[in-house]
Amino acid sequence: WYLRRVREAVVSTQSTGEYYRVRPVKIYYYLEDDSISVVEPIVENSGIPQGKLIKRQRLPKNDQGEHWQWKDLNIGSDVIFYGKTFHIYDCNNYTKDFMASEGIMLNAPESCPPDPYTLSRKEPQHSYVTPPTFDKLKQFIDLDRQVLRFSAVWDDRNNMFGEMRPYTLHYYRVDDTIEVREQRQPNDGHDPFPVLIGRKKVPKARSNIPSNFPSAVMEISEHEITDWLTEKDLRVGETVVIMDRPFFLYDCDSFTQSFYQQMYGLSFSRVPVELGERKVEVKREIPPYNGFGSPQDSKQNCLSLIAQPPKKDVMKMLENDLKILRYAAVMESPNPEDKNRKFIISYSLAKDEMQIYEPHQRNAGIIEGKFLEYSQVRKPGSSIDNPEYYTPADFAIGATIEVFSRKFKIVDCDLYVLKYLEANGARFPAATIESIRAIHADKL
């Protein structure tokens, strides 16, 4: 491989900042067929067509039909390929070894001269602009996130439906801008627009503009305003006019207090301000049960705008899944046709609900089926707001329960009921357990 350089002239129409270019290229000579290729390394964003300048081929040397041979190449010599002159300044080690084995002495390697335009790009550009005395970058680094915070009120009671409204005034030191935000109260009746005045530079006297200014067709810009509100114009206990609205500053935060103490030697104290009568918080009470649905469903309607189903005890449901306590009962009724009716009361431990089922009896004249779906049955005499529901502790043998004005007498139960009550004896009365144990004494 031969490393070459070509010095290319540049006309003024192509570039005014350079007169010639030095373009380093690589020349590959293939010994098998005496072909040559010229490749220029690609420089990113150079704007010059680069890459393979001459494809692999035998290059003519002169008009007599001769071609370039490897014997014609040497360091320090010039070669002409299709009208372009290439100067050889170095080669790789393999080429040096091959030429030495063929008895050709190569000249000493040369250094590739740099491209003047590339060197000028690496030099720092000369700046002839006088830097300003005010450094915006330094101001941003030093004053960014330094915000003076004042509590203010706007007294608009002189106008119809006006009132004293609290606001928060922010002064940004980094660019001398002011922002006014409203201190909203819940259910205050105002629209949810917390920003009264967006962050901007505020003039001291907005109406103090030249008399010849065409205000009817043009808006006021920074060119017409000469005096702006600064941190020196903000004091606790004074009134500042912003966009023709008087704001009374009555308090500030600790950072603002320490800033004015260090910078201007001023100490502020809170000024008492009457903001008007505060609304008394209404205690929310759940209304009494109206009898529609279950008390839990009615309570959920009062807790949220969109009613949600009552929350269930998932752990209790998983532990007591498919655990049913079954009792046999008869109806106590003055009607003679109801004296022989028998019922099965099933109590679900997972949901704390009971179901009443009437089994089939021949020639009874009454259709069997569900007498009561699974539901919680309130004890008679308990209040509607704090109801007490029937539990297995109330189902003693011989006890009478009242279900929606109908009375049922417990006469029997499964053996599983006794085992469950004995396993959880601390939760149930001893009299209930003894009454059930008495009817199952022969089975134990």
Side-chain angles (χ1 to χ4, degrees), residues 37-322:
S37 65
V38 181
V39 178
E40 181 180 5
I42 297 177
V43 178
E44 192 173 355
N45 296 328
S46 64
I48 303 174
Q50 294 176 323
K52 187 173 290 187
L53 301 181
I54 301 177
K55 295 183 179 180
R56 179 179 174 180
Q57 57 185 295
R58 298 185 66 187
L59 300 180
K61 183 179 180 181
N62 49 38
D63 297 337
Q64 285 75 28
E66 298 180 359
H67 295 84
W68 287 98
Q69 303 291 331
W70 56 271
K71 299 179 181 180
D72 303 324
L73 306 177
N74 200 336
I75 296 177
S77 61
D78 292 339
V79 293
I80 300 176
F81 297 153
Y82 293 123
K84 292 186 177 181
T85 303
F86 297 86
H87 182 78
I88 304 174
Y89 69 90
D90 201 356
C91 64
N92 60 357
N93 295 330
Y94 175 77
T95 304
K96 294 179 181 178
D97 296 339
F98 175 78
M99 300 297 282
S101 64
E102 297 297 330
I104 298 177
M105 298 298 295
L106 296 178
N107 300 327
E110 302 176 0
S111 60
C112 180
D115 183 37
Y117 181 72
T118 305
L119 292 178
S120 64
R121 290 292 301 271
K122 295 180 180 180
E123 295 179 358
Q125 296 183 356
H126 298 283
S127 178
Y128 301 100
V129 180
T130 303
T133 57
F134 177 74
D135 191 354
K136 291 186 178 180
L137 178 60
K138 184 177 185 303
Q139 183 189 26
F140 176 78
I141 295 175
D142 296 342
L143 304 181
D144 186 34
R145 298 180 181 272
Q146 293 191 16
V147 182
L148 305 180
R149 181 189 178 103
F150 294 89
S151 298
V153 291
W154 174 26
D155 189 359
D156 193 35
R157 290 177 294 184
N158 294 330
N159 297 326
M160 183 178 295
F161 308 113
E163 57 182 345
M164 292 275 288
R165 301 181 62 177
Y167 290 90
T168 300
L169 187 146
H170 293 152
Y171 182 86
Y172 298 87
R173 296 193 62 217
V174 66
D175 54 359
D176 299 326
T177 55
I178 293 178
E179 178 189 52
V180 179
R181 303 181 67 91
E182 182 178 358
Q183 299 178 6
R184 297 195 64 245
Q185 301 293 335
N187 299 326
D188 57 1
H190 298 292
D191 293 331
F193 297 106
V195 179
L196 178 66
I197 300 176
R199 181 177 174 180
K200 63 175 68 175
K201 295 183 69 175
V202 177
K204 285 185 178 180
R206 188 170 179 269
S207 58
N208 187 14
I209 57 176
S211 58
N212 58 352
F213 179 75
S215 58
V217 295
M218 295 182 61
E219 295 183 356
I220 300 175
S221 62
E222 296 185 358
H223 300 285
E224 288 74 34
I225 304 299
T226 57
D227 201 3
W228 304 91
L229 281 177
T230 62
E231 59 191 32
K232 299 179 182 179
D233 303 314
L234 305 178
R235 299 287 188 274
V236 174
E238 297 183 0
T239 301
V240 57
V241 179
I242 302 177
M243 299 297 178
D244 297 333
R245 295 179 176 89
F247 290 91
F248 179 73
L249 309 181
Y250 66 91
D251 198 5
C252 63
D253 60 355
S254 57
F255 172 76
T256 306
Q257 179 79 19
S258 59
F259 169 77
Y260 278 92
Q261 181 68 32
Q262 296 175 3
M263 295 295 295
Y264 304 104
L266 299 176
S267 179
F268 299 143
S269 59
R270 179 184 175 89
V271 179
V273 175
E274 292 292 336
L275 298 178
E277 298 182 358
R278 294 187 177 270
K279 296 183 179 180
V280 180
E281 295 185 1
V282 180
K283 184 179 179 180
R284 295 187 298 176
E285 296 181 357
I286 298 177
Y289 176 58
N290 56 7
F292 293 96
S294 64
Q296 292 81 2
D297 291 334
S298 300
K299 184 178 180 180
Q300 289 297 116
N301 292 333
C302 302
L303 297 179
S304 61
L305 182 61
I306 301 177
Q308 302 292 333
K311 293 184 179 180
K312 300 179 180 180
D313 191 348
V314 180
M315 295 301 300
K316 183 178 181 180
M317 296 178 63
L318 293 176
E319 292 175 357
N320 300 313
D321 188 26
L322 302 180

Side-chain angles (χ1 to χ4, degrees), residues 346-372:
S346 302
Y347 189 90
S348 174
L349 296 174
K351 300 182 292 183
D352 291 332
E353 296 177 348
M354 58 183 295
Q355 179 196 53
I356 301 178
Y357 182 83
E358 185 174 7
H360 172 70
Q361 297 186 58
R362 292 188 63 182
N363 300 325
I366 299 175
I367 301 176
E368 75 280 359
K370 290 182 180 179
F371 187 83
L372 176 68

Side-chain angles (χ1 to χ4, degrees), residues 312-342:
K312 300 179 180 180
D313 191 348
V314 180
M315 295 301 300
K316 183 178 181 180
M317 296 178 63
L318 293 176
E319 292 175 357
N320 300 313
D321 188 26
L322 302 180
K323 292 183 179 181
I324 305 295
L325 305 182
R326 297 198 306 169
Y327 301 85
V330 295
M331 179 180 290
E332 293 185 348
S333 174
N335 299 325
E337 60 270 13
D338 294 335
K339 290 184 178 181
N340 296 325
R341 298 178 65 180
K342 298 180 180 180

